[in-house]
């Protein structure tokens, strides 16, 4: 499989769970100490990274390892609570993979 195919597989798995939030308008990667922002999202759907194909789970303490989709002020948002880092031993393409998935989620042309 290609990187593109891996991204699309992840997007399909998220959209199956996302309900009305399948095409978020805003994507946020929450840094350390900011994970509680996701608690502000209304009608939230939570998807643990372990349930998303091709996603790695962060080993950093305090990173919840969840994707949260919902609405804030009428805007559909997807927020990453935690992420993997290069210093955890992951290559750059794997560190960037979730950001690629967030971009593909926003696209109406992705499955």
């Amino acid at each position: 499989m290609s990187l593109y195919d891996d991204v699309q597989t992840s997007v399909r798995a998220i959209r199956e769970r996302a309900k009305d939030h399948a095409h978020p308008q805003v994507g946020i990667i929450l840094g350390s100490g900011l994970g509680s922002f996701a608690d502000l999202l209304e009608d939230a759907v939570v998807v643990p990274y372990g349930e998303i194909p091709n996603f790695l789970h962060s080993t950093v303490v305090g990173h919840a390892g969840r994707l949260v989709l919902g609405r804030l002020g009428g805007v559909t948002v997807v927020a990453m609570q935690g992420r993997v880092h290069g210093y955890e031993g992951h290559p750059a393409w794997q560190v960037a993979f979730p950001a690629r998935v967030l971009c593909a989620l926003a696209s109406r042309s992705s499955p």
Side-chain angles (χ1 to χ4, degrees), residues 57-86:
H57 186 30
S58 176
T59 59
V60 175
V61 174
H63 286 219
R66 307 179 328 160
L67 199 67
V68 183
L69 301 104
R71 293 194 187 283
L72 185 64
V75 176
T76 305
V77 175
V78 58
M80 289 181 56
Q81 288 182 308
R83 64 184 181 89
V84 296
H85 302 81

Side-chain angles (χ1 to χ4, degrees), residues 13-69:
I14 294 164
R15 286 200 175 136
E16 286 175 8
R17 305 261 307 264
K19 301 180 186 174
D20 296 331
H21 313 306
H23 298 277
Q25 297 164 282
V26 174
I28 302 170
I29 301 172
L30 301 169
S32 297
L34 298 174
S36 64
F37 172 83
D39 297 336
L40 300 173
L41 299 181
E42 301 166 357
D43 191 30
V45 174
V46 177
V47 185
Y49 292 164
E51 296 177 13
I52 303 171
N54 308 310
F55 256 60
L56 296 177
H57 186 30
S58 176
T59 59
V60 175
V61 174
H63 286 219
R66 307 179 328 160
L67 199 67
V68 183
L69 301 104

